[in-house]
Amino acid sequence: MSTITDYKIHDIRFPTSLTGDGTDAMNTDCDYSSAYVVLLTDSDLVGYGMTFTIGRGTDIVCMAIKEVANRLLGKNTEELFADMGKTWDHLLSDSQLRWIGPEKGVIHLATAAVDNALWDMFARARRKPLWKLVVDMSPEELVRSMTFRYITDAITKEEALQLLKEREGGKKEREAKVREVGYPAYVTSAGWLGYSDEKIANLTREALSAGFNHFKMKVGADQANDLRRGKLIRSLIDDPALLPSSVQPRDPESEALKGKNAGPTGSVLMIDANQVWEVPEAIEYVKTLKEIKPWFIEEPTAPDDILGHAAIRKALEPHGIGVATGEHAHNRMIFKQLIQADAIDVCQIDSCRLAGVSEVLSVLLMAAKFGVLVCPHAGGVGLCEYVIHLSLIDYIAVSGTMERNVLEYVDHLHEHFVAPCTINANGRYNVPSNPDEGYSIEMHKASIARYEWPNGTYWAERRAQQA
């Protein structure tokens, strides 16, 4: 048995703004960053966690992580692991810290880092990847690992338990299947707003050759430019000659692609506005992009505007275009309302916007109850490493399906992690299998030393060059 004795916090920033990675209509100068925490014990057991940011303000999140992590000092790890839902409630129950949320903003991002680190430690203690730790739990254990506060009008503990029991039968078969074929992915790397047409075309061809058939592009800065870029991407992903020789065109009317506006090769295009529009503007703007046949529009307006999303979905439904959101849905209550208001076709949980695994599990169960597709948000730094675990949990233990699901993949910064996520030849995530990788978010010490803000060697060298 171990006791949590200390923690280390790092503000790590990567200069992605120099290459246009991550650029969209709202976020034009992203420096992908990590507010990173290491939980330490009086034994060799450690836990690694982080929350994702895009540069300035990461130091503020790190300050909040310190306050949340303090609540774990002196705690016995096995007592924490025995009831992770109760542990999550403990992390959120400091009334003075809660006041600066509650359960949103900087304090919630900080809680995500700490809760994720504790789940990482739990998985390492059991020598299982995080997803395997969770799917091996009994339905009763899994329900104890979640939080139900403020969502019992959507799903109760009893309903969650019943749903999980119904999924028990095929878990071993589903686990074996996903280990064999991988988890479906889509690519965003080709569609950043700051990329030239040449770079977009080259990256799209590369993605096609890597086996991807779902692609996402950023929109919202200029309608004519968006339409032109969309036509460029469509011309490539709909061209049978660009498919790998080992890949046959997919049937656009197959169960996996039906209703997704897939082109003749079975390729799907999605668009993402990153919150830039008013509600009426979003409706009219997206209508002008019907020609490029998007499956959905992601984040068309303010992330907290549930009724706005519902209005957009209702207006676009006759045009065959869905609505997706969740990247900035800051807690389970927002997802509850989006689902209850029929405001989304696709639920995009974020591993760091929600306050860690325990809250993510609550959203997965709500989505499964109401039959809403879960396609997590990833990209950034570390998010792809995180969310493959969450999608595996959803498929194997919760929803029982991955037929129509796709998990975002962005080819940035994976080299900084000890156990980076990987993609197979069919454009699917490989299943994390190292028993010692936990939640897959441990960073190389050399990466921390180089990119820690403000005195890592990269930032010190850059300041010297500018001087």
Side-chain angles (χ1 to χ4, degrees):
M1 296 212 300
S2 302
T3 299
I4 296 177
T5 57
D6 202 359
Y7 52 81
K8 294 180 180 179
I9 301 170
H10 303 276
D11 176 347
I12 304 164
R13 308 187 193 185
F14 299 96
T16 51
S17 60
L18 298 179
T19 54
D21 298 343
T23 49
D24 57 59
M26 180 67 77
N27 307 294
T28 57
D29 61 343
C30 306
D31 280 332
Y32 280 166
S33 303
S34 170
Y36 185 76
V37 59
V38 184
L39 296 179
L40 304 171
T41 68
D42 56 2
S43 69
D44 293 335
L45 185 62
V46 296
Y48 301 92
M50 59 153 277
T51 199
F52 172 62
T53 58
I54 62 167
R56 288 182 296 276
T58 309
D59 49 345
I60 300 172
V61 181
C62 288
M63 292 170 65
I65 289 173
K66 175 178 179 293
E67 297 302 323
V68 178
N70 279 336
R71 296 187 61 74
L72 295 178
L73 296 180
K75 299 292 184 183
N76 178 281
T77 56
E78 289 301 322
E79 291 177 2
L80 295 173
F81 300 157
D83 193 332
M84 288 294 278
K86 182 180 178 181
T87 297
W88 192 88
D89 288 339
H90 172 71
L91 289 174
L92 274 291
S93 65
D94 183 305
S95 62
Q96 294 186 6
L97 293 179
R98 190 177 187 279
W99 185 262
I100 60 173
E103 298 191 36
K104 54 180 170 285
V106 168
I107 198 67
H108 218 52
L109 292 172
T111 305
V114 177
D115 188 67
N116 286 337
L118 193 59
W119 275 97
D120 177 76
M121 180 183 284
F122 188 3
R124 289 169 183 272
R126 300 296 185 264
R127 295 203 70 236
K128 295 181 179 181
L130 184 279
W131 69 267
K132 181 64 171 167
L133 170 78
V134 176
V135 303
D136 283 351
M137 288 180 174
S138 68
E140 291 80 7
E141 289 173 320
L142 218 161
V143 166
R144 280 202 307 274
S145 299
M146 300 163 53
T147 177
F148 288 89
R149 193 176 192 188
Y150 302 136
I151 62 170
T152 53
D153 55 325
I155 190 167
T156 64
K157 287 185 179 180
E158 293 74 21
E159 288 175 317
L161 184 60
Q162 181 61 33
L163 189 152
L164 291 168
K165 285 182 176 180
E166 290 171 359
R167 299 290 188 266
E168 276 286 280
K171 278 170 59 173
K172 289 184 178 179
E173 292 77 10
R174 290 192 293 274
E175 180 178 331
K177 179 179 178 180
V178 75
R179 283 184 183 274
E180 178 186 356
V181 303
Y183 195 91
Y186 74 86
V187 65
T188 301
S189 302
W192 298 123
L193 207 58
Y195 286 177
S196 66
D197 284 3
E198 182 182 9
K199 187 169 184 177
I200 290 171
N202 289 338
L203 290 173
T204 301
R205 291 189 186 97
E206 288 176 11
L208 282 165
S209 66
F212 290 98
N213 76 313
H214 285 65
F215 306 81
K216 191 170 77 179
M217 60 174 280
K218 301 292 184 174
V219 299
D222 180 88
Q223 186 274 335
N225 187 49
D226 290 341
L227 187 59
R228 182 186 56 76
R229 290 165 54 246
K231 287 180 178 179
L232 170 61
I233 294 174
R234 264 289 174 204
S235 71
L236 298 169
I237 66 177
D238 290 346
D239 185 353
L242 294 180
L243 293 178
S245 58
S246 60
V247 174
Q248 295 297 313
R250 299 169 174 90
D251 179 6
E253 293 304 313
S254 66
E255 190 58 35
L257 297 176
K258 196 171 183 179
K260 290 186 176 182
N261 290 327
T265 67
S267 288
V268 177
L269 181 63
M270 301 95 87
I271 56 176
D272 183 358
N274 292 90
Q275 315 163 27
V276 296
W277 297 317
E278 300 292 321
V279 171
E281 183 185 11
I283 294 168
E284 295 308 311
Y285 197 111
V286 175
K287 285 180 182 178
T288 69
L289 299 179
K290 286 190 299 182
E291 187 178 349
I292 61 173
K293 298 187 296 183
W295 169 25
F296 62 64
I297 173 62
E298 179 179 339
E299 282 200 314
T301 193
D304 302 343
D305 189 354
I306 286 88
L307 296 182
H309 279 84
I312 293 167
R313 182 173 184 254
K314 183 177 180 180
L316 293 180
E317 191 172 14
H319 302 279
I321 302 171
V323 171
T325 198
E327 175 180 349
H328 284 80
H330 45 242
N331 56 42
R332 65 206 175 280
M333 290 79 79
I334 294 293
F335 279 109
K336 178 187 75 170
Q337 294 173 73
L338 287 166
I339 292 169
Q340 288 174 327
D342 291 326
I344 53 173
D345 299 275
V346 177
C347 169
Q348 295 176 306
I349 56 169
D350 184 279
S351 57
C352 298
R353 184 70 57 177
L354 294 172
V357 176
S358 291
E359 189 172 29
V360 166
L361 292 173
S362 302
V363 177
L364 293 181
L365 265 293
M366 282 192 290
K369 177 188 172 181
F370 289 92
V372 176
L373 196 65
V374 176
C375 299
H377 166 251
V381 55
L383 300 187
C384 294
E385 277 67 29
Y386 266 156
V387 294
I388 179 54
H389 291 268
L390 304 179
S391 285
L392 290 170
I393 293 166
D394 180 51
Y395 169 53
I396 298 169
V398 182
S399 71
T401 180
M402 62 174 176
E403 186 75 10
R404 296 177 56 76
N405 302 64
V406 279
L407 172 54
E408 186 169 19
Y409 176 74
V410 174
D411 190 17
H412 302 312
L413 305 173
H414 302 298
E415 68 274 15
H416 298 290
F417 294 91
V418 174
C421 66
T422 58
I423 297 290
N424 67 24
N426 296 314
R428 289 171 171 254
Y429 276 85
N430 290 311
V431 173
S433 57
N434 183 339
D436 296 316
E437 70 181 277
Y439 204 178
S440 305
I441 215 67
E442 180 185 359
M443 278 193 183
H444 290 295
K445 290 180 174 60
S447 295
I448 296 173
R450 181 155 177 76
Y451 291 102
E452 185 157 17
W453 177 268
N455 295 318
T457 55
Y458 170 83
W459 296 108
E461 290 166 4
R462 184 168 167 181
R463 281 195 303 274
Q465 290 171 356
Q466 291 172 340

